[in-house]
Amino acid sequence: MGVQYCHPMKLSGAVKTWLLWLALSAAFFPIICFISYVGLMIYGSQRREAVTSPAPPQFPILVITSHYVASKELLTPLEVLKCTLSSGDDASVVLQENLAAFTEKHKDYTFLVPPGAVEELNRQLRKHEAYNEPVIASIHVTSRADGREEIHLDASIYDDLTNESWYEASAREFNPKFQRKVSSLGASIAAAFLVPVPAGLLSAAAAALIVWIRSRRKRAARPPAHETQVPQI
């Protein structure tokens, strides 16, 4: 009884392409996801959205008031940040959605930053911490000849959430101009939703190309048909 040999089963080109597509998709997904995330973060950090009055609810404004002491020196629900200047006044970062309640409580408010207080204000803002992490906050003020101020306020209290505002301020009024809000969590979620389609298409194209190149190489390596014929005696 002769010995029978089992030859390994050969996979069809379609099956090979499909398996290769799965492998490439798993490899391409995290790479494209990371590139998309970085791209969205760069785009968001350079883009600011024009706003009109009334400002959006999360639009931050700096308000100067006379000094007051909150319970146990904690922030009230109406404030995002608060610091006391050497002049004795308080500087509070308030969101638009809380501004009416805040100014109603502190009727001596002004939106103008005192001359020469910007450097001190930046030092005070950077002393704050959120969840044991330093707060990324700053203010830039440009005085105008008409007594108004051009203000750029960075009220980012978390390193993964940017909230910046640009506005014109007078003593009792402000005119919103731009806002920039960037969330690293939002960018990562957006990247995860954007990636599957391009990753799948790229993987499919790469898999088909690889299988096609391999098949061509195999055909080129085969000897011509006339060389494989057995001479007849």
Side-chain angles (χ1 to χ4, degrees):
M1 184 174 181
V3 179
Q4 294 182 348
Y5 295 93
C6 283
H7 296 280
M9 183 179 63
K10 293 184 178 181
L11 299 177
S12 66
V15 174
K16 289 180 180 179
T17 304
W18 183 75
L19 292 175
L20 188 57
W21 173 76
L22 290 179
L24 291 175
S25 296
F28 285 158
F29 182 85
I31 296 174
I32 300 178
C33 190
F34 176 75
I35 294 174
S36 301
Y37 168 77
V38 172
L40 288 171
M41 291 298 294
I42 293 175
Y43 173 75
S45 65
Q46 301 299 319
R47 178 181 178 271
R48 58 181 186 176
E49 183 179 354
V51 297
T52 57
S53 185
Q58 297 296 306
F59 191 90
I61 309 103
L62 186 77
V63 188
I64 307 296
T65 64
S66 59
H67 180 60
Y68 63 96
V69 180
S71 176
K72 297 182 180 180
E73 293 295 332
L74 297 176
L75 293 173
T76 70
L78 301 179
E79 305 156 346
V80 175
L81 293 170
K82 171 175 170 284
C83 59
T84 302
L85 303 175
S86 57
S87 63
D89 292 332
D90 282 341
S92 303
V93 177
V94 183
L95 299 180
Q96 165 67 26
E97 60 186 357
N98 297 323
L99 185 61
F102 184 87
T103 54
E104 178 65 25
K105 189 175 181 180
H106 306 280
K107 296 185 180 297
D108 61 341
Y109 72 91
T110 177
F111 296 124
L112 292 176
V113 179
V118 176
E119 185 176 348
E120 179 191 6
L121 184 54
N122 278 319
R123 287 198 307 269
Q124 294 278 8
L125 288 173
R126 295 186 183 115
K127 286 182 179 179
H128 287 272
E129 290 189 353
Y131 296 100
N132 298 321
E133 294 291 336
V135 165
I136 305 171
S138 62
I139 189 169
H140 182 270
V141 180
T142 302
S143 299
R144 298 193 345 184
D146 59 1
R148 296 171 67 86
E149 293 177 343
E150 298 277 353
I151 295 178
H152 170 204
L153 175 62
D154 186 345
S156 307
I157 61 173
Y158 308 109
D159 59 1
D160 61 346
L161 180 62
T162 298
N163 190 9
E164 299 177 71
S165 62
W166 286 259
Y167 59 94
E168 296 177 0
S170 64
R172 308 289 283 188
E173 295 179 349
F174 76 96
N175 180 30
K177 299 175 69 175
F178 302 99
Q179 184 179 19
R180 176 185 295 147
K181 290 188 69 179
V182 182
S183 169
S184 60
L185 177 60
S188 62
I189 294 175
F193 276 101
L194 292 173
V195 163
V197 173
L201 294 176
L202 180 61
S203 301
L209 180 61
I210 292 172
V211 170
W212 179 74
I213 292 174
R214 287 179 176 176
S215 64
R216 284 201 62 183
R217 288 177 178 175
K218 287 181 179 179
R219 286 196 299 268
R222 292 173 184 168
H226 67 274
E227 296 183 4
T228 60
Q229 292 178 355
V230 179
Q232 297 179 358
I233 299 175

